[in-house]
Amino acid sequence: MLFRSVRLGLNLSKLHEQINQTQQCLAKGGFKLKFVARSGSPPPPNASSDGETVGCLGLKWNTLADTLSPGFKADFSLSSTKLPKEALSLNLAESENLRKALKEGWFDKTSLYSRVLSFYDPCGFWSPITVQLKLKMQHLNGMGWHDPIPPEHHEEWIKLFQLMVNASALSLPRSLVPPQYEGIPSFRLLCLADAAAECCGTAIYAGLELPDGSFTSSLVMARSKLVKNTIPRNELHGVLLAAETSLMAQSAFGDTLSQVRYYSDSNISICWILNKSKHLRMWVFNRVSMIRSLIARFSDGEASLPLFHIDGEFNLADLLTKPRSVSVRDCDAESDWLNGLDWMHVPSDSLPSVQPYAPSTEIREDFEKEVFQEVDVNLMEQRTLLCSSHVETYARFANPPPPNWVVDTFQFVELGWLRANRRLRLVLKACQSFKHFLHIRKNASFLGCFRCRSEEHTSELQSPCNLVCRLLLEK
């Protein structure tokens, strides 16, 4: 926040004044600052162990260069007291030493998880690497905590740990505002979502509008989550993850945020979200409702959701969805992962704006699996309920029947499907109960009273039930 204030034109004297005010405020509560670290200056001696970096949210912050890097150490070793001295002296950052520890059974599941979880990445800057670790860890489910790693997984884990060692040297700029920028910044967020069979992920990119109308692009946050549903459902879960993550980013940007757009390469999930005329099954309906409410918070309501389709080759969130070969070049400061693709730098009116409301023929079958079939009430309902005091008026209508009174009475469009369906169900239930009080004679021009078995009451309209009703049925 101090760096952003400097870029907004706050001079150093006012910056020092704010720091002093913060110290005075904390002092009134009995707190005392140990140090104050600023970007562009070396860290205080008591804040850094190496004289260059300061710990910040599990990451290392180089205050002079104003860059962030992973907070774990490249070198690591075993620390269990039950292991021989030879095992404790090995530097497992070297592939041969790690191969020996795996072969001897010294490096068990507990040690492996401890090493993997040391790669703490709260903002997801290096998620393409951590996702590969997360996916590979699923193969160890069901093992005991002190069981050795199966031999068939040794070489894969050696490659992944070597990737971690190389990733410890990665870094990225902390600031989203370029040094030459002047004026009040105006950001837009591009939220990408994708999923596969085992994992879904999202990547949020912030773009700063430049004087020429183009935008910068920098990764702000990325998240991934293991899933076990069908791929269309996983894609929908990915959009939900993007909506939730975007909400956190929106609260951080505050008034500097001007636009938020969401992108996915799944036509099915976008059709589920944008099409309100379909009656979705419960699992999909709940997540679609949540996505609509989250996205609508920064749009003009659910009537215009900024959710668009892009091709999979332009979706960087694909790096978070499936096992693949990843190198440190995929996550370095010059990579597309951190800086975005070319289409993410264009002006807002040139961004992809395709919104599919209906699925194509190739995906219609998967789309309809999560949609209740539409019911044609006019074809299904062939009965007409008539109530009057003159029984002689009622007789079976000849084909074709007259307009259906029940269906025509209920305005399904105005009432909505759920309300009209409830009312129609009550009417049909009443029709069924009326059958127990009527004696129906086929091809007859009148009805006898079911209660007293007398035709006089019917002809003279003196039925004890005091109800004259006819349910007309098809022959």
Side-chain angles (χ1 to χ4, degrees):
M1 295 301 296
L2 296 180
F3 182 89
R4 178 176 294 179
S5 298
V6 173
R7 292 302 179 193
L8 291 178
L10 186 66
N11 56 40
L12 292 179
S13 61
K14 292 184 177 180
L15 178 61
H16 288 299
E17 182 180 352
Q18 286 189 354
I19 295 175
N20 293 332
Q21 291 176 356
T22 303
Q23 291 176 330
Q24 294 174 7
C25 182
L26 294 175
K28 291 183 178 180
F31 299 96
K32 183 180 179 181
L33 290 178
K34 294 182 179 179
F35 60 87
V36 176
R38 296 188 309 171
S39 59
S41 303
N46 60 337
S48 175
S49 58
D50 57 5
E52 296 181 356
T53 60
V54 177
C56 179
L57 295 176
L59 307 177
K60 291 189 295 185
W61 176 29
N62 188 319
T63 58
L64 185 60
D66 199 19
T67 58
L68 296 173
S69 57
F72 66 92
K73 295 181 180 180
D75 298 336
F76 70 104
S77 58
L78 300 172
S79 59
S80 176
T81 57
K82 299 180 180 180
L83 297 177
K85 293 183 178 180
E86 181 184 1
L88 300 177
S89 61
L90 292 177
N91 180 12
L92 300 184
E94 300 178 4
S95 300
E96 291 302 324
N97 292 339
L98 180 58
R99 185 177 287 105
K100 181 178 181 180
L102 288 170
K103 183 178 180 181
E104 297 293 337
W106 299 334
F107 197 73
D108 55 12
K109 181 180 176 181
T110 302
S111 303
L112 186 145
Y113 272 49
S114 176
R115 176 58 176 172
V116 170
L117 296 178
S118 67
F119 196 164
Y120 184 62
D121 185 15
C123 296
F125 295 135
W126 303 284
S127 289
I129 297 176
T130 58
V131 165
Q132 299 306 314
L133 298 171
K134 187 187 301 185
L135 291 172
K136 189 59 182 176
M137 287 168 65
Q138 300 305 302
H139 298 167
L140 305 182
N141 288 343
M143 293 177 49
W145 286 107
H146 297 289
D147 292 345
I149 307 302
E152 60 269 19
H153 298 300
H154 286 184
E155 292 303 320
E156 294 179 357
W157 277 111
I158 291 174
K159 293 180 181 179
L160 289 175
F161 281 130
Q162 189 60 43
L163 180 62
M164 279 187 63
V165 172
N166 298 335
S168 63
L170 291 174
S171 63
L172 74 158
R174 184 192 61 84
S175 175
L176 301 177
V177 183
Q180 68 275 11
Y181 187 84
E182 296 180 358
I184 300 177
S186 177
F187 290 95
R188 73 178 181 191
L189 291 184
L190 302 181
C191 311
L192 313 183
D194 199 7
E198 297 180 284
C199 190
C200 66
T202 180
I204 312 296
Y205 290 85
L208 177 64
E209 187 173 6
L210 299 176
D212 59 355
S214 63
F215 282 77
T216 64
S217 180
S218 302
L219 179 69
V220 174
M221 183 179 293
R223 293 175 63 192
S224 62
K225 188 174 183 179
L226 297 176
V227 287
K228 296 182 179 180
N229 294 299
T230 62
I231 291 183
R233 284 191 172 191
N234 293 346
E235 295 277 7
L236 184 65
H237 207 137
V239 179
L240 176 59
L241 187 65
E244 294 173 342
T245 308
S246 173
L247 195 63
M248 293 187 288
Q250 293 174 32
S251 62
F253 280 91
D255 296 337
T256 62
L257 192 62
S258 61
Q259 186 182 20
V260 181
R261 294 169 71 99
Y262 299 83
Y263 290 93
S264 173
D265 56 10
S266 172
N267 275 314
I268 296 179
S269 60
I270 296 178
C271 290
W272 282 336
I273 297 169
L274 298 181
N275 197 328
K276 299 181 182 180
S277 63
K278 297 294 183 180
H279 309 298
L280 303 173
R281 298 188 182 275
M282 188 60 65
W283 193 96
V284 175
F285 175 78
N286 289 338
R287 284 152 183 81
V288 166
S289 300
M290 191 175 301
I291 291 171
R292 287 174 179 169
S293 63
L294 291 174
I295 294 180
R297 296 189 181 189
F298 201 84
S299 62
D300 297 331
E302 293 189 12
S304 59
L305 296 179
L307 176 61
F308 307 96
H309 178 267
I310 55 172
D311 293 335
E313 60 181 321
F314 302 117
N315 191 354
L316 289 173
D318 182 63
L319 294 173
L320 310 178
T321 59
K322 59 179 73 74
R324 65 175 71 244
S325 177
V326 180
S327 66
V328 291
R329 293 182 180 179
D330 298 324
C331 300
D332 62 16
E334 304 298 328
S335 64
D336 291 339
W337 168 251
L338 291 180
N339 300 303
L341 298 174
D342 292 339
W343 70 269
M344 304 169 70
H345 295 264
V346 301
S348 296
D349 54 1
S350 301
L351 288 172
S353 302
V354 179
Q355 288 187 310
Y357 284 86
S360 60
T361 307
E362 295 79 7
I363 62 175
R364 182 173 295 277
E365 182 178 355
D366 292 331
F367 175 83
E368 296 293 343
K369 288 181 181 179
E370 300 294 344
V371 178
F372 287 109
Q373 296 298 320
E374 297 292 339
V375 178
D376 191 343
V377 182
N378 290 314
L379 296 177
M380 184 178 180
E381 175 57 42
Q382 296 292 341
R383 294 176 293 182
T384 304
L385 178 66
L386 300 175
C387 297
S388 176
S389 59
H390 300 283
V391 73
E392 290 86 0
T393 13
Y394 302 123
R396 185 175 299 278
F397 290 111
N399 292 327
N404 196 318
W405 180 84
V406 175
V407 176
D408 292 343
T409 301
F410 294 103
Q411 302 296 329
F412 285 86
V413 177
E414 297 179 4
L415 292 175
W417 170 256
L418 294 179
R419 293 177 61 188
N421 188 31
R422 281 198 299 267
R423 296 187 183 185
L424 181 58
R425 189 166 60 249
L426 292 175
V427 172
L428 297 180
K429 185 177 180 181
C431 294
Q432 297 297 328
S433 65
F434 289 157
K435 287 183 179 180
H436 299 289
F437 298 97
L438 296 176
H439 179 62
I440 301 176
R441 295 180 181 179
K442 291 186 176 181
N443 301 322
S445 60
F446 63 91
L447 294 176
C449 180
F450 177 75
R451 287 191 174 183
C452 61
R453 304 286 182 177
S454 172
E455 296 184 359
E456 291 182 357
H457 290 160
T458 304
S459 60
E460 298 176 2
L461 305 178
Q462 297 176 354
S463 175
C465 61
N466 198 23
L467 173 66
V468 183
C469 182
R470 175 87 183 204
L471 183 66
L472 299 177
L473 303 173
E474 282 187 337
K475 290 185 179 182

